[in-house]
């Protein structure tokens, strides 16, 4: 027997070399899993992962981000834009650098989007403890701030010996590339262990392809589903992000063209049936269209495809009111497929829609339902035109209404351009008003609705799809929370357009506060008033009169240090 060949590397060198060799494949299309590594160095990673990234920079590109939370958002947006087939790794120091990634990690996991997080960790050898930024615990030495990643990671591990990556890395890759399990994967890397050498088997660094399966639903349940459909007179499809991730938009179109079933969309699913289409009725639920919500109210069968059925989608379980309404759910994740006591079809959206289409051949909704759908759609289109066009502005108004900014962008953007948004009042308006003409044209982070995702996310979208125009729509509150990745975009000469909507505070939460009787307390940007002692003084920002057009609000960062105003 000959000994298996080995390569002597530090743990960090081995990790970086391994990551550069991982690939994904779906439907015969193969690509590198990692687009690169974002990082911010500190004493917890500069000597280990930092050295390894410098050495392997030709195989895996390093990107310098400005904030650790933001770099996770950028990685998540990149992964979402790639339908979860590609992502980024993120390296941080120990302590605050690591915990800054927690919000991004939670967002990725909640949105079911893969990101690989590599926070530095305290010395496994412990002798210098407590090191700078170390959390000390009186009851255990086996505790660090990185334990906070456990509930928000789909896989979590701490590498306390260099050889542990031999078993940890395959698990990390399995989870990252699993359509049902994916989310944040955290490998906490003690700073001493990063730099410890080990004789790794050379086979670890062979290229490895992770094939993304198209899981098939149970045959018997598929037949049951077909029976349910044949008995239905007023079915409605609720299309979620899973339709887009699975690249099932063509299959969905064929399914509804054959059956006449209307399609309502969640935030993540918007664009699943691109506009215009006679059966596209727009957003559903709390922020949905009247057309979709009236159809939802009366539907006798709700066919949920690739949705988590959050409270916004179901309007806190009030959207579907018909007595005896049944749910049929197609989802790769059991957790989602079983919600609302649905008949669960656990499988890939595209494969399952295709099989179901065959099983219901000949079924079509009645002509009365078809004409009701057409009338509701026409009504809603007219309403959108009314609220988004210039004619609705009164001459007295000093500021352009948000709906008209949306209307102007709708007119100006190419169908393949991408709008990016996450929190505030914009997501609700966009869900109702935006007409997504391309499955990847509407990029909303509305699982975590994290203020600050917008610009960092826009950067990730553009990195994933450089050929598309990327337009970040961001409220002033969200902008002030996290805008620094503009500098990263300039550094990388990546052009994104940022549309900033300044309404002097948290209009969305202000409205909510008014509606619960709190009068907008604590939601408006005002100077502290010396007379009252409250935040009801002057507005800190000069109110801009912009009757002459929305374009003033659009700044284009063109990938050089200069900023051009349109
Ligand atoms: C990180 C984070 N903190 C707090 C919230 C709660 N929240 C939701 S919307 C909002 C206000 C957003 O303000 P802005 O971006 O200006 O949008 P607007 O509501 O004015 O449209 C807040 C505070 C959140 N979603 N994310
Ligand atoms: Mg605001």
């Amino acid at each position: 027997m000959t000994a298996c060949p080995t390569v002597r590397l530090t743990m960090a060198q081995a990790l970086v070399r391994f990551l550069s060799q991982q690939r994904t494949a779906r439907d015969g299309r193969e690509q590198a899993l990692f687009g690169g590594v974002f990082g911010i160095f500190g004493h917890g990673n500069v000597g280990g992962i930092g050295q390894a990234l410098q050495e392997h920079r030709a195989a895996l590109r390093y990107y310098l981000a400005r904030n650790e939370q933001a770099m996770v958002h950028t990685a998540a947006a990149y992964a979402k834009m790639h339908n979860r087939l590609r992502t980024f790794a993120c390296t941080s120091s120990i302590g605050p650098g690591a915990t800054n990634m927690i919000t991004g990690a939670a967002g990725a996991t909640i949105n079911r989007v893969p990101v690989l997080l590599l926070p530095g960790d305290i010395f496994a050898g412990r002798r210098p403890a407590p090191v700078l930024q170390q959390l000390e615990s009186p009851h255990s030495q086996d505790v660090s701030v990185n334990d906070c990643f456990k509930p928000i990671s789909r896989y979590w591990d701490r590498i306390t010996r260099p050889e542990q990556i031999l078993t940890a890395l395959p698990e990390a890759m399995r989870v990252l590339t699993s359509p049902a399990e994916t989310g944040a994967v955290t490998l906490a890397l003690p700073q001493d262990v990063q730099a410890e050498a080990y004789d790794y088997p050379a086979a670890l660094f062979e290229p490895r392809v992770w094939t993304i399966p198209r899981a098939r639903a149970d045959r018997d349940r598929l037949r049951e589903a077909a029976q349910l459909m044949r008995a239905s007179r007023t079915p409605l499809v609720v299309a979620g992000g899973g339709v887009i991730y699975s690249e099932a938009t063509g299959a969905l179109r064929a399914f509804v063209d054959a059956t006449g079933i209307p399609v309502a969309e969640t935030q993540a699913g918007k664009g699943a049936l691109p506009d215009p289409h006679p059966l596209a009725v727009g957003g559903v639920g709390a922020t949905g269209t009247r057309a979709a919500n009236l159809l939802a109210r009366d539907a006798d069968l709700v066919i949920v495809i690739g949705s988590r059925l959050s409270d916004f989608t179901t309007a806190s379980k009030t959207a579907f009111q018909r007595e005896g309404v049944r749910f049929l759910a197609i989802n790769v994740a059991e957790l989602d497929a079983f919600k609302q006591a649905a008949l669960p079809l656990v499988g890939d959206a595209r494969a399952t829609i295709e099989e179901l289409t065959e099983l219901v051949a000949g079924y079509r909704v009645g002509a009365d339902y078809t004409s009701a759908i057409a009338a509701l759609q026409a009504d809603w289109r007219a309403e959108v035109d009314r609220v988004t066009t210039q004619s609705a502005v009164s001459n007295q108004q000093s500021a352009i209404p948000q709906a008209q900014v949306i209307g102007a962008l709708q007119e100006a953007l190419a169908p393949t351009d991408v709008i990016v948004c996450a929190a505030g009042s914009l997501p609700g308006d966009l869900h109702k008003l935006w007409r997504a003409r391309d499955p990847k044209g509407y990029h909303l982070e509305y699982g975590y609705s994290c203020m600050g995702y917008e610009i960092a996310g826009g950067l990730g979208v553009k990195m994933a799809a450089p050929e598309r125009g990327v337009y970040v729509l961001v409220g002033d509150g969200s902008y002030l929370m996290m805008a620094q990745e503009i500098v990263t975009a300039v550094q990388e000469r990546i052009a994104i357009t940022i549309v900033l909507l300044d309404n002097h505070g948290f209009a969305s939460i202000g409205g909510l506060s008014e509606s619960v009787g709190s009068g907008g307390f604590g939601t408006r940007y005002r100077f502290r008033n010396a007379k009252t002692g409250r935040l009801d003084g002057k507005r800190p920002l000069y109110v801009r009169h912009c009757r002459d057009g929305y374009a003033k609000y659009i700044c284009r960062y063109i990938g050089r240090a200069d900023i051009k105003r349109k």
Side-chain angles (χ1 to χ4, degrees), residues 402 424-425 451 474-478 500-508 523 525:
Q402 188 158 284
S425 58
M451 290 169 74
V474 59
D476 53 333
S478 302
L500 170 60
L501 289 115
D502 180 2
N503 53 19
H504 313 284
F506 306 159
S508 51
T523 62
Y525 291 158

Side-chain angles (χ1 to χ4, degrees), residues 355-566:
E355 290 183 338
L356 199 54
T357 308
E358 276 179 33
L359 286 174
V360 296
Y363 166 82
R364 196 170 172 85
V365 300
D368 48 342
Y369 192 47
T370 302
S371 45
I373 296 162
L376 285 168
Q377 194 201 57
D379 268 4
W380 186 254
R381 289 190 85 83
E383 178 66 359
V384 172
D385 289 342
R386 188 184 70 79
V387 299
T388 58
T389 53
Q390 200 67 28
S391 59
V393 189
S394 114
N395 280 339
Q396 308 309 315
Q397 265 174 315
S398 61
I400 184 168
Q402 188 158 284
Q404 286 174 24
V405 176
I406 292 172
L409 285 167
Q410 182 86 67
E411 218 170 279
L413 268 55
T416 53
D417 287 342
V418 189
I419 57 163
V420 183
C421 190
S425 58
L426 274 163
D429 286 356
L430 291 168
H431 197 213
K432 276 189 276 290
L433 303 176
W434 192 258
R435 291 172 181 151
R437 294 167 289 172
D438 180 282
K440 300 306 297 182
Y442 183 89
H443 185 114
L444 262 277
E445 189 285 284
Y446 211 63
Y448 209 37
S449 186
C450 184
M451 290 169 74
Y453 176 91
E454 299 87 349
I455 292 171
L459 177 60
V461 170
K462 185 73 180 176
M463 289 172 80
E467 71 287 1
R468 293 179 186 247
V470 175
Y471 292 77
V472 173
L473 275 69
V474 59
D476 53 333
S478 302
Y479 178 85
L480 289 174
M481 207 171 267
M482 194 169 281
Q484 74 297 323
E485 296 313 307
I486 289 172
V487 182
T488 308
V490 172
Q491 153 196 295
E492 298 296 336
R493 302 184 186 286
I494 287 173
I496 55 175
T497 302
I498 298 168
V499 182
L500 170 60
L501 289 115
D502 180 2
N503 53 19
H504 313 284
F506 306 159
S508 51
I509 303 302
L512 194 54
S513 162
E514 302 263 1
S515 74
V516 297
S518 297
F521 173 74
T523 62
R524 295 178 188 128
Y525 291 158
R526 293 280 195 280
F527 278 109
R528 189 166 297 283
N529 184 339
K531 286 200 190 103
T532 64
R534 298 190 195 136
L535 289 175
D536 59 1
K538 280 190 185 153
R539 287 176 171 175
L541 301 171
Y542 169 62
V543 184
R544 195 118 150 241
H545 287 253
C546 56
R547 249 171 282 166
D548 53 333
Y550 71 93
K552 269 190 177 175
Y553 277 74
I554 300 181
C555 301
R556 170 162 286 193
Y557 296 86
I558 57 159
R560 299 209 311 270
D562 51 340
I563 296 169
K564 270 193 187 162
R565 281 249 155 104
K566 256 194 178 176

Side-chain angles (χ1 to χ4, degrees), residues 4 44 83 88 118 135 217 244 248 283 308 361 449 495 516 564:
C4 82
N83 289 330
F88 259 77
L118 305 169
L135 173 75
I244 295 171
R308 302 162 51 233
S449 186
V516 297
K564 270 193 187 162

Side-chain angles (χ1 to χ4, degrees), residues 194-442:
Q194 288 178 38
E196 277 173 26
Y198 183 77
D199 294 312
Y200 290 97
L204 182 66
F205 310 113
E206 295 290 314
R208 174 138 187 205
V209 181
W210 299 83
T211 301
I212 315 290
R214 291 200 178 274
R216 309 283 154 158
D218 179 75
R219 317 282 337 150
D220 293 341
R221 284 202 167 132
L222 262 173
R223 275 192 290 274
E224 263 180 76
Q227 276 168 13
L228 261 186
M229 278 188 60
R230 288 186 187 280
S232 166
R233 297 176 66 83
T234 54
L236 172 72
V237 166
V238 171
V243 175
I244 295 171
Y245 297 147
S246 159
E247 293 168 14
T249 55
L252 177 65
R253 180 188 288 261
F255 175 66
V256 299
D257 282 345
T259 57
I261 302 174
V263 176
E265 293 167 337
T266 70
Q267 287 278 15
K270 212 164 150 70
L273 184 63
D275 185 273
H277 188 282
L279 295 166
V281 292
V284 68
T287 51
T289 71
R290 191 164 54 222
N293 283 336
L294 287 175
L295 290 169
R297 187 191 66 187
D298 298 332
D300 61 4
L301 177 67
V302 184
I303 304 169
V304 184
I305 312 177
S307 170
R308 302 162 51 233
L309 290 178
S310 81
D311 63 342
F312 268 74
T313 296
T314 66
S316 301
K317 301 200 171 80
T318 65
F320 309 102
Q321 296 192 1
R322 191 183 184 110
E323 194 155 349
V325 57
R326 292 290 314 267
F327 290 79
L328 167 61
I330 299 172
N331 207 296
V332 275
E334 269 192 4
L335 173 67
D336 298 318
F338 279 75
K339 286 174 180 170
Q340 296 278 2
L343 173 66
L345 296 179
V346 180
D348 169 70
R350 194 174 91 186
T352 311
I353 294 169
E354 283 170 355
E355 290 183 338
L356 199 54
T357 308
E358 276 179 33
L359 286 174
V360 296
Y363 166 82
R364 196 170 172 85
V365 300
D368 48 342
Y369 192 47
T370 302
S371 45
I373 296 162
L376 285 168
Q377 194 201 57
D379 268 4
W380 186 254
R381 289 190 85 83
E383 178 66 359
V384 172
D385 289 342
R386 188 184 70 79
V387 299
T388 58
T389 53
Q390 200 67 28
S391 59
V393 189
S394 114
N395 280 339
Q396 308 309 315
Q397 265 174 315
S398 61
I400 184 168
Q402 188 158 284
Q404 286 174 24
V405 176
I406 292 172
L409 285 167
Q410 182 86 67
E411 218 170 279
L413 268 55
T416 53
D417 287 342
V418 189
I419 57 163
V420 183
C421 190
S425 58
L426 274 163
D429 286 356
L430 291 168
H431 197 213
K432 276 189 276 290
L433 303 176
W434 192 258
R435 291 172 181 151
R437 294 167 289 172
D438 180 282
K440 300 306 297 182
Y442 183 89

